[in-house]
Amino acid sequence: MTDYLISFNDEWVPAHTAAEIRAKASASMAVVEDMKRAGVFVFGNGGIDASSLVCSVTADGDRPVFTDGPYVESKEHLGGFCVISVEDDEAARHWAGRLAVALDWPQEVYRFPAPTPDQRPATEHEEI
């Protein structure tokens, strides 16, 4: 299985009434429930916007430096995402398509790279 990130940016979502948001939430949660039944859902959240940003952090040598707000000025802000674990790109496209239709806004799909042998956690039978 391969992990995929399906995400959308907040600015891709047009203004909605409260009733429209409730309807979109219901439609998208139906897709998430289908993902759970299919055993592919890992984690997700769709309530992220620019107001939820806590801080950015950079390194100054061995010391973290925190800044309120985004690291880079940008009009793009993550709006929501889910992580799924599926067999291949086509399966990831299927679920992203279901979300795009349910929400009526664009989604992007990213494939997480497969871990290399040195990145995998050791099993009880392997030495670290």
Side-chain angles (χ1 to χ4, degrees):
M1 297 295 256
T2 302
D3 292 343
Y4 292 82
L5 173 72
I6 302 172
S7 65
F8 65 90
N9 286 354
D10 187 45
E11 73 277 1
W12 300 345
V13 180
H16 285 76
T17 65
E20 289 171 324
I21 289 294
R22 283 191 301 277
K24 300 282 176 130
S26 178
S28 64
M29 288 310 298
V31 176
V32 169
E33 289 305 315
D34 286 348
M35 289 176 176
K36 289 177 180 178
R37 280 191 291 279
V40 302
F41 184 79
V42 176
F43 180 78
N45 193 309
I48 304 169
D49 64 17
S51 70
S52 62
L53 180 63
V54 174
C55 68
S56 61
V57 61
T58 59
D60 181 8
D62 61 353
R63 182 178 70 87
V65 177
F66 294 90
T67 306
D68 290 340
Y71 176 68
V72 186
E73 281 302 314
S74 173
K75 293 182 180 185
E76 295 183 1
H77 301 281
L78 182 63
F81 70 94
C82 72
V83 176
I84 59 173
S85 187
V86 294
E87 288 293 325
D88 54 29
D89 291 359
E90 282 307 307
R93 292 168 66 96
H94 165 79
W95 291 111
R98 297 257 332 257
L99 285 172
V101 168
L103 293 165
D104 194 27
W105 57 68
Q107 304 289 309
E108 289 185 331
V109 179
Y110 297 87
R111 181 185 329 103
F112 288 101
T116 60
D118 62 320
Q119 293 172 322
R120 285 193 329 251
T123 66
E124 62 184 81
H125 301 292
E126 293 179 316
E127 289 187 28
I128 297 178

